[in-house]
Amino acid sequence: CYHSDQVKTIIEAEDIALTDLLPHGFSGSVLDCGSGTGYLLDLMQVDPSQYWGIDISDEMVKVAREKHPKHTFQKKDMFDIKEGSVNNLVSLFSVPDYSGLGFIDKAYDLLDIHGTLYATFINKRGGYDSIYCLDQAGYEFQPYQYTKEEISQHLKKFGFGLVYICGFSTTKELPKGVCSEQIAEYFLEERHNTDECKYLFVMAKKTK
């Protein structure tokens, strides 16, 4: 596993890589599930009139509103929303880690007929069996982890016809002195090696 003094650089590299994997702009409405302190908006610009961020933490919502006052944030659990028709549903380093594949089922219900899902999952083969920020806070939590094959099968089972899954980041120790931009480039070069990556990035379009 990489050394603790590499964490900041790794996180910066993950942000850069994820920005490259996400679309350069969203068409239509965006539901950001587990929006935290506004992480998606830290990575890219989203039209405030099309954005709705939800999180179950009062404190997270408060900080997000302070950081991004033009955007809408609300304390809410996506599983409490009865139905929806959003064009894009996003969840980065969030709901899938806590709710497992049930996240996909609910995302299907909330998306428009041609809506697109963007999410990250912890890779079962990647050696990442805990969440760093929770570890540092003293919480013991075992996140859900899946293989690329398990996620793909579940997506197609629930009517996501166009599925793209790649990997990014690592739990391996990296050479010292390497900048975050170089590490991000390495992550992107290795994105098709889903056997050893830390996270799986999922983009899937609802087709029925």
Side-chain angles (χ1 to χ4, degrees):
C1 183
Y2 50 73
H3 196 269
S4 59
D5 61 8
Q6 292 182 306
V7 170
K8 184 176 184 294
T9 304
I10 292 288
I11 291 174
E12 290 175 351
E14 290 172 353
D15 292 348
I16 296 169
L18 194 52
T19 301
D20 194 84
L21 293 171
L22 285 164
H24 295 299
F26 291 106
S27 176
S29 57
V30 178
L31 176 59
D32 188 3
C33 298
S35 51
T37 61
Y39 178 67
L40 176 63
L41 301 180
D42 295 337
L43 297 181
M44 62 187 297
Q45 293 185 349
V46 181
D47 183 348
S49 67
Q50 297 281 11
Y51 178 87
W52 181 25
I54 60 173
D55 200 284
I56 60 173
S57 167
D58 280 319
E59 188 60 33
M60 292 287 190
V61 170
K62 179 182 177 182
V63 173
R65 287 172 176 166
E66 292 172 351
K67 286 172 59 181
H68 305 283
K70 294 182 179 180
H71 292 76
T72 300
F73 293 93
Q74 183 179 3
K75 181 186 177 182
K76 200 170 190 68
D77 190 327
M78 69 177 289
F79 292 94
D80 292 335
I81 305 174
K82 292 184 179 180
E83 58 184 19
S85 58
V86 297
N87 302 117
N88 305 277
L89 191 147
V90 183
S91 189
L92 305 177
F93 307 121
S94 186
V95 183
D97 301 345
Y98 306 98
S99 64
L101 294 178
F103 162 77
I104 292 175
D105 309 358
K106 189 61 182 178
Y108 181 86
D109 293 338
L110 297 178
L111 280 165
D112 182 61
I113 185 60
H114 298 299
T116 305
L117 170 66
Y118 303 90
T120 58
F121 289 78
I122 295 176
N123 183 17
K124 185 184 289 185
R125 297 172 179 151
Y128 186 53
D129 54 7
S130 62
I131 296 177
Y132 179 76
C133 61
L134 295 183
D135 278 353
Q136 295 301 298
Y139 295 106
E140 291 186 8
F141 176 76
Q142 184 70 40
Y144 285 92
Q145 303 172 56
Y146 298 98
T147 64
K148 175 183 176 180
E149 293 75 21
E150 288 172 331
I151 297 169
S152 180
Q153 289 172 9
H154 202 79
L155 284 164
K156 292 176 180 178
K157 173 184 174 183
F158 271 84
F160 288 93
L162 300 175
V163 175
Y164 172 76
I165 302 176
C166 69
F168 72 102
S169 196
T170 183
T171 57
K172 295 181 178 180
E173 186 172 358
L174 297 170
K176 293 183 179 180
V178 181
C179 69
S180 55
E181 288 81 5
Q182 291 173 304
I183 296 173
E185 186 177 345
Y186 167 74
F187 288 165
L188 292 170
E189 288 175 351
E190 294 292 313
R191 65 185 179 276
H192 298 300
N193 180 13
T194 55
D195 285 338
E196 299 181 355
C197 60
K198 181 177 174 184
Y199 297 109
L200 295 168
F201 172 76
V202 173
M203 180 171 60
K205 183 173 284 292
K206 183 176 174 180
T207 54
K208 63 179 180 179

